Amino acid sequence: KVARERQGLHIAVLAASLKVPPRKLELLEANRYDELPDPTFVRSLAMSMCRALKIDAEPVLARLPQSAAMAVAPRGLD
């Protein structure tokens, strides 16, 4: 949200460029992840927003919930 506001970009404009409803961006910016489809969607939308805003996605992704697939660490072969 801070990066978007710094760039003077209205949420509706960003939503239109990403082809998602503004409400989904509002929920993401408000950390209301439980109201979005799933953790994978949350992370994907955040990455898309970062790309559109031309900012580093890593710090943003670090603060988001992990998807079930990412939460399970792969095990080495014994």
Side-chain angles (χ1 to χ4, degrees):
K1 180 176 181 177
V2 172
R4 179 182 58 75
E5 290 176 342
R6 273 192 201 139
Q7 294 181 27
L9 191 59
H10 191 276
I11 199 162
V13 173
L14 181 58
S17 74
L18 296 175
K19 298 180 173 75
V20 296
R23 181 75 179 139
K24 292 193 188 256
L25 299 187
E26 291 167 355
L27 292 171
L28 182 63
E29 288 185 351
N31 301 325
R32 293 169 60 185
Y33 313 125
D34 58 323
E35 296 179 51
L36 291 164
D38 59 54
T40 301
F41 176 84
V42 170
R43 295 178 69 78
S44 180
L45 182 57
M47 284 178 33
S48 295
M49 289 177 72
C50 290
R51 224 178 355 260
L53 296 169
K54 295 178 175 57
I55 63 170
D56 182 15
E58 286 304 313
V60 175
L61 295 176
R63 299 179 65 191
L64 298 178
Q66 299 289 315
S67 70
M70 296 176 81
V72 178
R75 298 182 73 174
L77 298 174
D78 295 323

